[in-house]
Amino acid sequence: MPNGRNLSEVAVSSSPIQVEVVSPEGIIWQGEAVGVTVRNVEGSLGILIDHEPLLTVLAPGAAEIIVEDGRREVIAVAGGFMSVFENRLSILTDHAVMGHEISVDEARRGFAKMADMIEKGDYTDEDEHLYNQYLAQIRAGEKYAELHHLS
Amino acid sequence: MPATLRELRERRKSVSATMKITKAMELIAASRVMRAQARARRAVPYNEELIRAVSDVAAHTDELHPLTIEPAVCKRAAVLIISADRGLAGAYNANVIRTAEGLIKRLEEEDKELDVYTCGRKARDYLTFRDRQVADFWMDFSEKPTYKNAKQIGVRLIEEFLKPTGEGGVDELHVVFTRFKSMVSQQVQIVRLLPLEVVEEDSTALATHPTRMSDEYHYEPKAAVVLDKLLPLYIINRIHFALMESAASELAARQQAMHSATDNAKQLIDSLTRDANQARQAEITQEINEIVGGAGALSG
């Protein structure tokens, strides 16, 4: 029923985006947001209210969620997927860490080690996965630090 | 000759020591089942999102993905058996292994070559003891499997599946695991995981969230590439699910087994106590008899 749908779309157009970040270990973050920025395989990508339906492959990096009062949540997301549909946005990843839980120094050390192994060509899928996790943590950790020095 | 009083008391002591152990194991298993169930519940949102994404994309693309293609003839099949690392869980391991044997026999009758993969120490021990080939095995996490474990297994099996048959690749993959129905009922299931059919008969995810109009979706990069990334995740997630269900089943089976062991021990203690009392009474009676007899002989 196209008419019915249009009406309901008008009615909900000003409501915030329902965001859900899920990993196999559970829901990492859930709430309402006015905007979300993620990094996908093609670059940085911003999602605002009433974005068109989208399904995209994410690259390791920070997902920045702008909550209604202007607060920003930063979450490290090591790849995965994001789907957007009718103001519902879900990020699906096998590894996610909240910004305040990240230790950038630790991530850098881990990253350097993994980068070394990968450069030598002597690595497993597991190592590559860790590499992505550290990369996401560094990116998110830096963003988190930047936000919190400013405020 | 009936057991002496001392023997009976010794036996009772040993049974009650065993009972303490089985009781403790029962309590431990009970609390772990709870945690295993909580973990399984936490994985539900991810599972639902993933199924939704896969069915959306699958509806959108006409292209056949290598993971979904049915081979014309199946020459080689892989079986993944998910068992426990430890025994003392009633018939849990025996049930898994019996079902797996049935499946293996069926596949062999269909003239398929078999690669058997095992999860958990028990299945591997069973097979190696009988000099049977195990293609690969994973163990030491049967009670508390993580996503990482599932990923390891999944990556390996997908790799085997995508290999051409000529190079030892498999054409289908079956998983034998135990479904957790309730604390008192667990059921062994066989699921054919590959080639993939995206149907989720048990999940309510699709019923409550009917597939959306996928034509409206915008894909980045294009749908086929997204699918390519999604499907392995889907398979790993199925394995994760099977591992978690099996872990909960194992623990529930162990709790039940230990519960009946404790009950049996209680009964045994009761009957041993009775026997010991009888033996004690018999001893006293005999002593009195001897004294009375002795006194009688003296006075006589």
Side-chain angles (χ1 to χ4, degrees):
Chain A
M1 282 205 323
N3 280 338
R5 256 198 77 205
N6 282 341
L7 273 180
S8 72
E9 258 177 19
V10 172
V12 296
S13 64
S14 59
S15 65
I17 315 170
Q18 303 293 327
V19 179
E20 212 178 47
V21 181
V22 292
S23 83
E25 268 86 46
I27 297 175
I28 306 293
W29 194 86
Q30 191 176 30
E32 295 184 339
V34 290
V36 177
T37 314
V38 292
R39 181 188 278 264
N40 79 351
V41 282
E42 276 154 32
S44 193
L45 177 71
I47 307 290
L48 293 174
I49 290 169
D50 284 339
H51 194 280
E52 65 166 344
L54 170 74
L55 191 70
T56 183
V57 180
L58 297 178
E64 201 180 336
I65 301 166
I66 305 158
V67 190
E68 267 189 296
D69 56 12
R71 225 163 23 87
R72 280 153 194 262
E73 291 285 356
V74 179
I75 303 170
V77 177
F81 293 87
M82 179 179 72
S83 77
V84 185
F85 191 82
E86 285 184 355
N87 269 338
R88 270 195 76 250
L89 182 151
S90 38
I91 292 177
L92 202 69
T93 176
D94 43 11
H95 176 87
V97 191
M98 294 297 294
H100 60 87
E101 288 167 1
I102 297 172
S103 153
V104 179
D105 289 339
E106 218 169 273
R108 279 219 181 87
R109 272 199 297 278
F111 181 74
K113 209 170 109 194
M114 289 303 144
D116 230 36
M117 285 171 84
I118 287 173
E119 207 162 290
K120 281 183 201 146
D122 170 32
Y123 64 99
T124 60
D125 284 342
E126 184 66 19
D127 297 331
E128 198 182 338
H129 191 58
L130 274 175
Y131 175 89
N132 285 339
Q133 285 182 12
Y134 288 131
L135 183 61
Q137 285 186 16
I138 293 172
R139 284 177 176 162
E142 278 171 354
K143 188 163 250 180
Y144 183 79
E146 193 184 300
L147 281 175
H148 283 257
H149 286 305
L150 286 176
S151 59
Chain B
M1 196 186 123
T4 65
L5 179 58
R6 196 166 51 86
E7 273 170 352
L8 286 167
R9 282 188 175 150
E10 284 292 322
R11 219 182 287 165
R12 191 178 58 185
K13 219 162 80 187
S14 118
V15 172
S16 61
T18 308
M19 190 179 84
K20 273 185 199 136
I21 295 169
T22 57
K23 182 88 193 158
M25 286 180 79
E26 182 194 338
L27 294 175
I28 291 168
S31 82
R32 285 191 184 156
V33 176
M34 230 96 95
R35 257 181 289 160
Q37 276 178 286
R39 259 200 303 279
R41 263 200 304 279
R42 279 204 299 277
V44 168
Y46 180 84
N47 190 30
E48 287 184 355
E49 280 302 327
L50 192 57
I51 291 167
R52 216 176 303 159
V54 170
S55 47
D56 282 344
V57 193
H60 187 77
T61 51
D62 299 328
E63 272 175 73
L64 277 175
H65 190 273
L67 290 176
T68 59
I69 295 172
E70 290 278 343
V73 265
C74 173
K75 277 209 185 121
R76 209 178 172 83
V79 177
L80 173 68
I81 308 172
I82 302 179
S83 73
D85 284 328
R86 294 195 295 151
L88 294 176
Y92 173 80
N93 287 307
N95 284 341
V96 171
I97 288 167
R98 182 161 13 89
T99 312
E101 283 282 24
L103 173 69
I104 289 170
K105 212 170 146 202
R106 202 188 76 207
L107 292 173
E108 274 170 352
E109 275 166 11
E110 289 169 14
D111 272 339
K112 289 172 184 165
E113 283 176 61
L114 274 183
D115 280 346
V116 181
Y117 295 83
T118 65
C119 217
R121 199 178 295 270
K122 285 285 165 183
R124 190 189 72 117
D125 288 356
Y126 174 86
L127 291 170
T128 46
F129 184 72
R130 283 160 185 77
D131 285 329
R132 302 249 290 271
Q133 277 276 316
V134 175
D136 204 353
F137 61 92
W138 298 270
M139 55 191 196
D140 295 332
F141 54 77
S142 81
E143 274 188 20
K144 201 182 170 190
T146 61
Y147 186 74
K148 236 182 175 168
N149 300 133
K151 188 159 181 165
Q152 251 176 10
I153 298 169
V155 166
R156 173 72 208 271
L157 293 177
I158 291 170
E159 193 186 302
E160 291 296 325
F161 183 77
L162 292 178
K163 250 194 236 167
T165 316
E167 291 167 28
V170 297
D171 301 319
E172 50 181 40
L173 165 67
H174 301 264
V175 182
V176 182
F177 73 107
T178 312
R179 217 39 229 276
F180 179 87
K181 298 239 152 160
S182 71
M183 287 300 287
V184 288
S185 154
Q186 298 90 37
Q187 201 177 40
V188 184
Q189 275 191 351
I190 302 171
V191 171
R192 198 195 72 168
L193 203 53
L194 283 169
L196 196 62
E197 296 163 88
V198 185
V199 273
E200 184 59 16
E201 82 260 36
D202 310 305
S203 172
T204 51
L206 290 181
T208 49
H209 306 276
T211 312
R212 305 131 169 177
M213 301 296 291
S214 36
D215 301 345
E216 298 170 23
Y217 261 92
H218 179 73
Y219 294 95
E220 239 182 84
K222 61 185 206 313
V225 183
V226 174
L227 193 64
D228 202 41
K229 295 263 182 194
L230 264 173
L231 287 183
L233 278 193
Y234 180 77
I235 289 160
I236 290 167
N237 193 49
R238 299 306 301 158
I239 294 174
H240 188 217
F241 173 77
L243 286 177
M244 283 191 304
E245 284 281 312
S246 296
S249 303
E250 176 194 340
L251 290 163
R254 178 162 301 128
Q255 193 217 343
Q256 237 191 332
M258 288 303 111
H259 184 80
S260 35
T262 308
D263 281 352
N264 286 344
K266 261 186 212 145
Q267 271 176 22
L268 206 53
I269 288 172
D270 281 351
S271 90
L272 283 172
T273 308
R274 230 171 279 130
D275 288 351
N277 287 345
Q278 226 166 39
R280 183 175 54 105
Q281 198 55 55
E283 222 170 79
I284 292 168
T285 313
Q286 199 187 344
E287 264 172 47
I288 292 176
N289 276 345
E290 278 165 8
I291 292 167
V292 171
L298 281 181
S299 66

